[in-house]
Amino acid sequence: MYTDDARVLGLIGTTFRAAGLPSIRVTVPAALAERAVAAWEQDDAGELDDARVPERPEDPAARLQRHRAGALALIGLSITESGKLDADGNTVVDLSPELVGVAMDAAGDHLRR
């Protein structure tokens, strides 16, 4: 029922990516900024070693989880490279609209639990 709507949304997203939208300045609470940086710094080599991981199709839920973990790590990278502490000890950083969108989608799922 929603397949065509999802496809059209994907096409709209493609045009947004091509448009080169400006970064969005956000404030990340200190504890969450630390977790994002830790996600960037963690060693995923064991998980990515093709010799140890049997090849199998990835289900949609696992793909979404992996995508969100990658977005968290990229937020951590942005914090590491250009984050600034504000007067309250939180981190202010400019993020791509795509990373902000992924985080907001994850928030929607988190709030439904």
Side-chain angles (χ1 to χ4, degrees):
M1 174 176 178
Y2 299 112
T3 303
D4 191 52
D5 290 346
R7 185 184 65 76
V8 171
L9 181 61
L11 293 170
I12 290 171
T14 300
T15 63
F16 289 172
R17 279 185 179 167
L21 299 173
S23 295
I24 300 169
R25 181 158 292 164
V26 297
T27 301
V28 183
L32 297 177
E34 289 175 16
R35 300 275 305 266
V37 170
W40 169 249
E41 293 173 343
Q42 78 183 12
D43 179 16
D44 290 335
E47 292 182 26
L48 299 176
D49 184 359
D50 290 336
R52 289 192 262 169
V53 178
E55 200 167 312
R56 63 183 179 273
E58 186 175 45
D59 67 66
R63 180 190 177 282
L64 179 61
Q65 187 177 22
R66 181 178 50 79
H67 179 71
R68 287 180 173 171
L72 176 63
L74 290 174
I75 291 170
L77 171 63
S78 296
I79 290 169
T80 299
E81 290 184 340
S82 61
K84 306 287 184 217
L85 292 179
D86 68 10
D88 297 321
N90 299 312
T91 301
V92 178
V93 64
D94 293 337
L95 296 177
S96 74
E98 188 168 5
L99 290 176
V100 172
V102 171
M104 292 177 71
D105 280 347
D109 287 351
H110 174 74
L111 293 174
R112 283 192 281 272
R113 291 184 185 159

